[in-house]
Amino acid sequence: MSKQANKVAFFELPADDMARASKFYAEVFGWATPEQGGGNLWAYTTPADEQGNPTEAGAINGDFRPRSEGFDRPLIMILVEDVEAQLKEVENAGGKVVHPAQDESQFGGPVWAVFSDTEGNHVGMYSFGA
């Protein structure tokens, strides 16, 4: 298991107005919010590499995405070794799959999914591996 596995590693924030969200977080927290593509903006809380990964230990970055049905609240993302295997663990522990695994590796992205924990919180997970 990698040292990063099972750690909160990314976040997503919904926005009704991307420019307004970008301006707010830049002014209040000094975040850089460059274009990510697909209508999304990066949310760099710390310096990042070409893939948006933090170059500073212990820090996380994220993005802003247009608010839509099913994406109306902040979402933390947990980096895992294997999304499908972890979803089975979620269900075994009483959680529910909200959005099944989606493989975006053909676009250079991760395999990702969203689940609901036993308290009704929606949480994402992703993997660039299995």
Side-chain angles (χ1 to χ4, degrees):
M1 181 176 289
S2 88
K3 292 193 311 187
Q4 299 300 334
N6 301 331
K7 305 280 192 295
V8 174
F10 197 75
F11 63 87
E12 296 177 350
L13 296 173
D16 295 315
D17 181 318
M18 302 299 273
R20 182 177 63 207
S22 173
K23 182 177 188 254
F24 175 85
Y25 283 92
E27 286 181 5
V28 175
F29 299 107
W31 294 1
T33 59
E35 286 286 329
Q36 184 187 56
N40 301 338
L41 298 175
W42 287 110
Y44 290 155
T45 69
T46 187
D49 65 17
E50 310 79 48
Q51 293 181 308
N53 299 312
T55 56
E56 183 179 301
I60 66 171
N61 285 323
D63 66 17
F64 296 100
R65 296 174 181 252
R67 186 181 313 275
S68 63
E69 187 172 333
F71 183 61
D72 57 353
R73 53 186 156 182
L75 186 68
I76 62 168
M77 301 291 289
I78 299 169
L79 180 63
V80 299
E81 292 284 329
D82 182 319
V83 170
E84 292 288 351
Q86 207 71 42
L87 285 175
K88 288 178 185 163
E89 293 293 324
V90 164
E91 291 179 314
N92 290 341
K96 295 179 175 72
V97 176
V98 174
H99 191 290
Q102 182 165 332
D103 187 347
E104 295 185 357
S105 59
Q106 69 271 26
F107 307 113
V111 175
W112 64 274
V114 177
F115 66 93
S116 176
D117 67 15
T118 56
E119 309 312 304
N121 297 306
H122 288 192
V123 180
M125 66 174 74
Y126 71 103
S127 173
F128 283 99

